[in-house]
């Protein structure tokens, strides 16, 4: 993968989602009354307003770092990959465009860009791989006179691999494949594989508290990050590289999830693992989704913890099978299990897991079904582009809750979304899978498909999102691994409460008193 | 244990350290030139200055919560169990005494006490079990007219056990044994066993980021705490009870380690485990300590992770054996291994661990040696009292570092302490054990024994502490599990750097603008 960047869709311009699979999905949707329209050609870039930066600004900034002001670059750095981002190109929603893109090549450059922005009162938006699915890269400028996006892609070096302590020190702009390549060449892996893996950056993973599909073995990014460096307007925070400490509130955990609003993450120390000797994936069929989540709970709580566990509900399983060309009646829930590590451990772990499932009514499929899954996992975002080009609404929502709340969460979110579709007189499809399992709970990941309400595409999305969020808040959290960005910002108060937001504002004010860092993110208003 | 409280020493007044063991230790020290003096009688309580609270204050506070103003209560709530705390009673160091002790009985009481203190400009010191070993309970009052210690012991209820999600909701004032008793009656355990277990509280564990000796299986307190409630002067923070989330900087991690300086922790949701079916402890002898730490690293990194692993260096092993009455020549390093959980897992885990050690030169001892260890672990703090009564300096220091730094850390801390003893012309003994092992590093725990410098006891301690800290900062962290309190406060800047302390001050200001919460803790000066 890699290659030419396209702002209006996923990944590389050269990549195409499989046409036969797409056609089968369209047929599956049509059979459920969900209609699109003729595919639009790739959207043309809108024209960007003139940069607000003066010639003097550009010269001063250009002395610190490479600067790009071409319209195409500015637009490409003003959006991520959220539904609203991609919709903006297709239905002409208004788009704030960044005034310039700065490309520092080292930490000292970053420090100087921040100092310059403070002096000049210019807002800065850190930019890694550009894959935010929540509007996190939109260049708001608050009350500042201009806004510069800081593209960190040139800070992509691996600085050190400590084979004794199993740690890697890497710069924040490195992308998933670059980092894994360097590690694997030395016999190691980080094991962080979010769906955006090929295009997202280390800094982005940290800034949004992301989680990959192998988190059962390797943990979430916050488990991997041992130490961090953050450049703020008030100086640098470099947390100490030690395995654990009891030295007051943990700064590392204040920087994780800070989404660029405290400063720019430039470097991290990460816990690494030996490259797994063996990798196994298996698929199990289980009669029903709520029952499957219960068996999953028992599995994890019994100490059988796969690297990967995903459970598709009946609707999602039916869609997966339809897209794969297998029309099956009475589709059950699909359970994907993955183990990796030393050969003997993988074998015994998988055997224990399969025994656990089959003893409780699961049926093992042959392992080919599983082999296809991982490739498809990374290719699904391309499918979204195809669907949006054809006038479909397609959005994903994710949350997490305790095991004792999971059934209610599942019922209420699905119910809320179907209610909105019904109120709009539109057929909709809500798919769900359990994506990460913990001893105390799990995350649910919903995919929402329907026809767009022509002329009201953004409003339709807003109503669906709000309905889902209200249902989510009865049982779960605002986000399990996508983050906040703009799309979740309005719910920060509901998630955390008033006093916590005061604390967040206090933190912001202490490190960024003039509010130049990613203004309007995480917190809605100036405080 | 339990029983009458004594401010000048550990635990219950009725408990006594074994006399034969004490005598053997004194002989062991004498053989190394470390002399004490005749035991002093139990120190008399100093007299406390009059309370600064007016009759009106006391009436207003008394309407909210039970208030105690007796001299004995005030003094007992003005110290913890640090060397300087205990020294204060023995050599007459000046002691700030709290003006009253408030004993709220529920969360609403706490809220009202905080509101009253804000209105009246009175400082509050949260107090749980009173076992801080770093001066964390000293009642500084900053620029406030008086100070009240808030004893949380009456908030000691278990509110809910969720057997599906494996969570317990408990109030912060509950002590270790109370919580474990409630859990074990239902077939569960939290598994948090710091050395202070019998006397320390849930709130204290959280406020200081503590860690118990079984952390290899059950984690540190920050791994156990799933959600928290904190009452601050600016309102309540209740973090959401979910297994994981990506909703900005994590507030739970700002409250963990906050040592009462942001507000009062009143409740927590904790991850629990089924009560282990089996429990195994074994001791292995290994020729040398640095070699043993290396074998330990390989073990943990190979995925063999005991619930408990402790490795005593040669000096500590010799002392342990001498106290137990076993004079052995050429004492090697002692390795204690513990597993717990389902019977078959414990058996196979222990076998793998023992194989790992014996294949690398370790020699297994019979299991009786291990059985004694856990009881002695909890009784050692009583020994400290006996030694201090006899004019010995006895202090513990703990830190953590990456595996690649561990040998240097060990060498430098020992070297620094021995240098100070030599400069003072005093014989000293420095014992060390590895106390917690992680994939990326480990903690080292030093016990320092020597004769006191008569008339300069506190200054002697200060010079030793400073020398050790300088050595620690070359490789590790200020504290692995004791926290900050007063004794570590001066090193917060060195640990975290200037920008981080600004962030901490910002957090403090946002939640406690008038600075009434535990003033002068974590941060030295007003900012």
């Amino acid at each position: 993968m890699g290659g030419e960047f396209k702002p209006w869709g996923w990944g590389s311009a050269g990549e195409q989602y499989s046409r036969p699979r797409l056609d089968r999905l369209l047929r599956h949707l049509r059979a459920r009354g969900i209609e699109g329209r003729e595919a639009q050609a790739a959207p043309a870039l809108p024209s960007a307003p003139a940069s607000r930066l003066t010639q003097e600004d550009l010269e001063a900034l250009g002395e610190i770092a490479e600067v790009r002001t071409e319209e195409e670059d500015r637009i490409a750095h003003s959006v991520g990959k959220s539904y609203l981002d991609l919709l903006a190109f297709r239905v002409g929603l208004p788009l704030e465009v960044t005034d310039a893109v700065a490309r520092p090549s080292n930490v000292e450059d970053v420090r100087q860009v921040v100092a310059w922005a403070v002096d000049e009162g210019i807002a800065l938006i850190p930019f890694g791989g550009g894959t935010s699915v929540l509007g996190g890269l939109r260049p708001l400028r608050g009350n500042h006179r201009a806004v510069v996006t800081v593209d960190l892609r040139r800070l992509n070096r691996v600085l050190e691999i400590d084979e004794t302590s199993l740690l890697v020190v890497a710069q924040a702009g490195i992308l998933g494949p670059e980092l894994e390549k360097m590690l694997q060449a030395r016999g190691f892996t980080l094991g962080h594989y979010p769906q955006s893996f090929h295009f997202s950056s280390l800094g982005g993973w940290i800034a949004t508290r992301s989680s990959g599909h192998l988190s059962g073995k390797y943990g979430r990014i916050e488990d991997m990050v041992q130490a961090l460096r953050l450049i703020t307007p008030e100086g640098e925070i470099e947390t100490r590289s030690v395995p654990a400490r009891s030295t007051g509130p943990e700064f590392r955990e204040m920087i994780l999830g800070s989404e660029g609003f405290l400063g720019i993450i430039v470097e991290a120390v990460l816990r690494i693992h030996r490259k797994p000797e063996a990798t196994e994936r298996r698929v199990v069929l289980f009669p029903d989704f709520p029952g499957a989540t219960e068996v999953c709970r028992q599995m994890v709580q019994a100490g059988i913890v796969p690297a990967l566990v995903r459970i598709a509900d009946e609707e999602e399983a039916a869609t997966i099978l339809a897209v794969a060309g297998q029309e099956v009646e009475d589709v059950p829930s699909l359970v994907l299990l993955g183990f990796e590590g030393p050969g003997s451990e993988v074998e015994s772990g998988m055997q224990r897991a399969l025994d656990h499932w089959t003893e409780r009514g699961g049926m093992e499929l042959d392992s080919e079904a599983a082999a296809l899954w991982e490739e498809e996992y990374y290719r699904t975002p391309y499918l979204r582009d195809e669907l949006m080009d054809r006038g479909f609404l397609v959005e994903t929502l994710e949350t997490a809750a305790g095991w004792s709340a999971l059934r209610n969460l599942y019922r209420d979110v699905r119910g809320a979304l179907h209610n909105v579709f019904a109120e709009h007189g539109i057929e909709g499809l809500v798919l769900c899978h359990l994506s990460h399992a913990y001893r105390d709970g799990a995350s649910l990941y919903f995919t929402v498909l329907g026809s767009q309400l022509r002329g009201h595409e953004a409003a339709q999305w807003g109503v669906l999102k709000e309905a889902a969020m209200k249902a989510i808040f009865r049982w779960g959290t605002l986000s399990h691994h996508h983050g906040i960005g703009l799309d979740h910002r309005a719910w920060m108060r509901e998630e955390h409460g008033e006093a916590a937001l005061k604390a967040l504002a206090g933190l912001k004010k202490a490190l960024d008193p003039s509010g130049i860092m990613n203004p309007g993110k995480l917190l809605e208003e100036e405080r």
Side-chain angles (χ1 to χ4, degrees), chain A residues 57-250:
Chain A
D57 291 332
L58 291 171
E59 275 164 27
L61 183 57
E63 297 217 343
I64 304 169
E66 188 190 311
V67 180
R68 298 203 179 160
T69 51
E70 296 80 3
E71 210 169 49
E72 205 179 307
D73 270 323
R74 288 171 51 215
I75 291 171
H77 282 83
S78 298
V79 287
K81 307 300 177 191
S82 74
Y83 181 68
L84 295 182
D85 284 341
L86 303 188
L87 198 62
F89 293 103
R90 287 168 176 84
V91 304
L93 300 177
L95 197 65
E96 286 287 330
V97 177
T98 193
D99 294 310
V101 179
R103 293 169 44 90
S105 62
N106 57 49
V107 173
E108 183 50 33
D109 287 358
V110 174
R111 205 177 280 125
Q112 287 188 34
V113 168
V114 171
W116 169 82
V118 170
D119 285 349
E120 297 295 332
I122 287 171
L124 296 180
I125 319 292
F127 191 102
T131 59
S132 164
V133 288
L134 295 165
L137 302 163
R138 293 295 188 99
L140 307 186
R141 65 188 160 94
N143 49 14
H144 305 288
R145 69 177 170 93
V147 52
V148 169
T149 295
V150 183
D151 184 328
L152 294 157
R153 284 287 294 117
R154 293 172 73 191
L155 275 80
N156 65 347
R157 289 172 54 213
V158 168
L159 302 174
E160 191 195 336
I161 296 178
D162 175 347
E163 301 199 3
T164 303
S165 303
L166 295 185
L167 296 169
V168 60
V169 186
Q171 290 183 316
I174 196 166
L175 298 191
E178 296 170 339
L179 178 56
E180 272 301 326
K181 194 179 158 194
M182 296 286 285
L183 288 173
Q184 295 197 10
R186 294 273 291 273
F188 297 99
T189 182
L190 177 64
H192 191 65
Y193 295 105
Q195 201 169 16
S196 62
F197 172 75
H198 297 92
F199 305 100
S200 55
S201 70
L202 171 58
W205 300 340
I206 295 169
T208 58
R209 290 184 173 266
S210 79
S211 184
H213 68 279
L214 302 182
S215 65
K217 181 175 174 75
Y218 302 104
R220 295 167 59 85
I221 194 73
E222 56 262 45
D223 303 314
M224 298 172 184
V225 171
Q226 195 230 32
L228 279 175
R229 274 179 86 182
L230 176 80
I231 307 294
T232 84
E234 287 290 302
E236 177 176 337
I237 297 183
E238 180 169 6
T239 71
R240 204 160 274 268
S241 174
V242 293
R245 58 182 183 170
S246 72
T247 56
E250 186 47 65

Side-chain angles (χ1 to χ4, degrees), chain A residues 1 191 193-195 197-198 212-214 218 279-283 307-308 310 336-340 367-381:
Chain A
M1 309 210 186
Y193 295 105
Q195 201 169 16
F197 172 75
H198 297 92
H213 68 279
L214 302 182
Y218 302 104
T279 298
E280 270 258 63
R281 306 282 185 261
R282 294 296 180 83
V283 175
L308 162 66
R310 280 169 93 93
L336 178 66
L337 300 168
F339 281 83
E340 38 191 281
S367 57
E368 265 173 60
L372 290 171
W373 178 84
E374 229 141 352
E375 196 190 334
E376 196 52 28
Y377 167 69
Y378 293 121
R379 300 197 60 80
T380 306

Side-chain angles (χ1 to χ4, degrees), chain A residues 18-31:
Chain A
S18 149
R19 184 71 211 206
R21 293 181 68 90
L22 171 62
D23 287 339
R24 289 194 290 262
L25 175 62
L26 295 174
R27 209 175 311 132
H28 182 72
L29 294 177
R30 211 173 302 124

Side-chain angles (χ1 to χ4, degrees), chain A residues 297 300-301 400-406 436-443:
Chain A
R297 173 182 81 81
V300 173
Q301 292 183 351
W403 287 112
S404 53
L406 215 65
H436 302 257
Y438 304 85
R439 286 181 67 252
D440 51 335
S443 65

Side-chain angles (χ1 to χ4, degrees), chain A residues 179-465:
Chain A
L179 178 56
E180 272 301 326
K181 194 179 158 194
M182 296 286 285
L183 288 173
Q184 295 197 10
R186 294 273 291 273
F188 297 99
T189 182
L190 177 64
H192 191 65
Y193 295 105
Q195 201 169 16
S196 62
F197 172 75
H198 297 92
F199 305 100
S200 55
S201 70
L202 171 58
W205 300 340
I206 295 169
T208 58
R209 290 184 173 266
S210 79
S211 184
H213 68 279
L214 302 182
S215 65
K217 181 175 174 75
Y218 302 104
R220 295 167 59 85
I221 194 73
E222 56 262 45
D223 303 314
M224 298 172 184
V225 171
Q226 195 230 32
L228 279 175
R229 274 179 86 182
L230 176 80
I231 307 294
T232 84
E234 287 290 302
E236 177 176 337
I237 297 183
E238 180 169 6
T239 71
R240 204 160 274 268
S241 174
V242 293
R245 58 182 183 170
S246 72
T247 56
E250 186 47 65
F251 296 101
R252 191 183 62 245
E253 293 275 356
M254 302 185 201
I255 300 168
L256 276 152
S258 60
E259 302 203 7
F261 112 131
L262 297 177
I264 300 180
I265 296 163
V266 289
E267 220 175 277
V269 184
L270 304 159
R271 299 182 172 104
I272 55 176
H273 293 252
R274 302 218 173 269
K275 213 165 96 178
E277 194 181 291
T279 298
E280 270 258 63
R281 306 282 185 261
R282 294 296 180 83
V283 175
V284 169
L285 301 182
F286 197 85
D288 72 296
F289 180 67
T293 64
E294 177 61 14
V295 175
C296 180
R297 173 182 81 81
Q298 292 163 0
M299 175 182 69
V300 173
Q301 292 183 351
I304 308 168
V305 185
L308 162 66
V309 55
R310 280 169 93 93
I311 308 176
D313 74 350
E314 294 83 344
E315 283 283 28
E316 182 156 323
T319 307
I320 290 171
L321 292 174
V323 172
Q326 301 172 23
E327 289 288 353
V328 179
E329 291 206 23
D330 290 328
V331 176
S333 192
L334 276 177
V335 184
L336 178 66
L337 300 168
F339 281 83
E340 38 191 281
S344 62
E345 252 176 53
V346 167
E347 200 182 324
S348 69
M350 185 61 92
Q351 198 50 57
R352 282 181 75 199
L354 291 172
D355 288 348
H356 178 91
W357 282 92
T358 51
E359 281 162 17
R360 286 160 183 81
M363 199 182 83
E364 196 191 333
L365 278 191
D366 65 65
S367 57
E368 265 173 60
L372 290 171
W373 178 84
E374 229 141 352
E375 196 190 334
E376 196 52 28
Y377 167 69
Y378 293 121
R379 300 197 60 80
T380 306
Y382 290 101
L383 173 58
R384 183 174 58 152
D385 296 343
E386 299 284 355
L387 291 172
M388 288 190 69
D389 287 346
R390 286 167 178 79
F392 289 99
L393 175 143
V394 46
E395 174 62 316
T396 59
L397 301 161
E398 40 79 60
T399 179
W403 287 112
S404 53
L406 215 65
R407 272 174 200 241
N408 293 331
L409 174 69
Y410 176 66
R411 179 198 62 208
D412 287 358
V413 175
R414 277 169 53 84
L417 289 164
H418 280 300
N419 278 349
V420 172
F421 277 124
E423 278 163 24
H424 288 167
I426 278 181
E427 291 298 321
L429 193 58
V430 180
L431 318 178
C432 179
H433 64 259
L434 180 154
S435 66
H436 302 257
Y438 304 85
R439 286 181 67 252
D440 51 335
S443 65
L444 291 185
Y445 191 100
F446 298 90
T447 301
V448 189
L449 288 159
S451 310
Q452 285 178 341
L453 261 186
R454 300 274 174 275
H456 305 280
E457 293 85 354
Q460 176 195 21
W461 172 87
V463 177
L464 281 162
K465 183 84 180 169

